[in-house]
Amino acid sequence: MTPPPARRRRTGAKGATPAHNLQRRGAVRRAQAITTYGVGSLIAVDHESFIISGLDEADRSWSADEAPRVYERRLARLLDVDCFRLPPVSDDTSKDGLRVRRFPLMHSCPECNELQPHRDFNPPSGRSVCGVCEVDLVPSRFVVACEAGHLGEFPYWQWVHRSSDRDSAAVGKCQGKLRLRTSGRTSSLRSILVSCTCGQVPEVSMEGSFRRKALKDLGLTCRGPRPWLGSSAPVQECGLPLRTLQRGSSSVWQPVLKSALSIPPWSSRREDPLAEHWEALRQFDNREHIEIYLKGAFKGRGCPVPLDEVMELLAAEREEDPEAGTDPSFDHRYRALRNKEYERLRSGNDESEHSRDEQFVCESPLGDQSVLAPLGIAGPMLVKKLREVRALKAFTRLVDAESTTDAKEMPLSLNPLRWLPAMEVRGEGVFLRLDESRLATWEKETVVAARVERMRTAHQRVLEQRADDPSRAVLSPATPRMVLLHTLAHVLIDEWSLEAGYPSASLRERLYAADDMAGVLIYTATSDSAGSLGGLVAQGEPELLDRTVRSAIRRAEWCSSDPLCMETEAAGSIGTNLAACHACVMLPETSCEHNNILLDRALLVGTPEDPSVGFFRQVLMP
């Protein structure tokens, strides 16, 4: 059967290039475009595979109505952008949305077993089928990536010809065609067989392709491919080792997310019209000069924000400026952002004092808070309204996004943009603090410090192994109060999931753990109906919170995997947990800030040999 003739490029009137008429390929939710299918990630649509394109063309292709701008000055300043944009939400009449590119390009035909780039199958326009066999093509199951964030095709030709003396750069010089088939004997890599029709090399299996040095042994290193930016993106030789990955592996793409709560004076949203003027306004210290600038900027229309409010906002922003001689790094400034949130959560923001447009309402409960004193819990606050902006800053491959450095973060576009994609969550929450005096006494105990030091050492070892320069590795955040607050947040989310009817994936933690902070905010983390049931704030009333904490601690005392869970020397995928597993305290990834690491329920309840390790050991006393 002869293959159909090659397709010819269509032209418009008088030979002009026709306007884009892009075919719709599936759909994702807006939140998924930030957390799961962001720029550079792979997405499967039916039997096809695509990569989400970069944002260089988004200013032109994203409609202002379908992808509105979002403002959160504190976070925008931290990330050095002017604003954020929601990913486009489109309907049947929309002409555009998220752009995608086909990746991987290598496909195989299950009928004729040919393995070659997609275009070489000569498929009909808009379809992914073999031009000869007319069966659906199968995208390559395997891709390669490096720790710098580059992503490329698996080198099938070099893998097949590795036993020959041919130069790895002479790809395809044997004039043969690759074929891929499965023996059907097992579901392992040994049953996936690749061959070349040149007849000069034997058929080989994919077994061993996932070894850490498998591609290094072939003399292959990363050449810096960035397929999400298109073929026109310049390729810079990377040179880092390559790793083979399954196309659907979570290691292929991990988002670097940064978020901030809207807190006064930025939570009224009245300052949004000034978003493009802050950098200019910060150049003036004189009230009269600021007034003159605003008159010129708004050209007779009048500034929509009163001058007194502008001065108040500028003063609030300067309060978050790093002090002279302090560390100006991104991590330090991000901690300063959290410090301001902690102060505001402690002090509150009464609803009766503000308009209906206020996005942050935080009040003390009406009940008697003294019932929480025996638990070591102080100052619970009911966060009746909150708004969180969660921005996609970059992404990583192979390495944990929470432990990486900026050098291993891959940007979302070829050219720098003055905005980033983001999502906003409106909901409610409960904030609680631990008693500082009792906490200070507990964390100084030798057995507590020794137990956390084991976790910190294991985590720091992993961070140093992943860093290009171990001396500049990110420091582990593990401290007794951080691990305690983290584990407490997990057991409370599990308890509220059982008692209050919330799916655990719809709740999220926000930890405030430092020398001068010891609090946790648990809040609704989704923008759908599961995040707006309205019952979470009620759980913060002292009497109900007392019962909830006691029940959660008693439940954490026992795990169905005990005694193995409690007695383990190292748990978790990288050995950074102690008494923590999926049967007791681990949560869905959407709920945890630290990817389910640095957890130990023994710090809550103690161990059978030494109950004094537990901060809440008195709750379990008869």
Side-chain angles (χ1 to χ4, degrees), residues 280-300:
L281 289 170
R282 283 178 58 87
Q283 305 302 315
F284 304 107
D285 293 325
N286 187 289
R287 180 186 177 96
E288 294 180 357
H289 292 168
I290 292 175
E291 185 176 14
I292 294 171
Y293 173 84
L294 291 175
K295 287 181 179 179
F298 290 92
K299 296 181 180 179

Side-chain angles (χ1 to χ4, degrees), residues 372 377 380 432 496 539-549:
L372 298 172
I377 293 178
L432 56 88
W496 278 328
Q539 306 299 318
E541 290 294 338
E543 295 80 6
L544 189 53
L545 183 59
D546 175 63
R547 292 198 300 270
T548 299
V549 172

Side-chain angles (χ1 to χ4, degrees), residues 130-160:
C130 178
V132 177
C133 307
E134 296 186 354
V135 297
D136 291 336
L137 296 175
V138 179
S140 170
R141 283 176 51 186
F142 310 107
V143 295
V144 295
C146 77
E147 290 190 353
H150 300 115
L151 184 70
E153 305 275 352
F154 182 83
Y156 287 102
W157 193 91
Q158 290 92 336
W159 184 253
V160 173

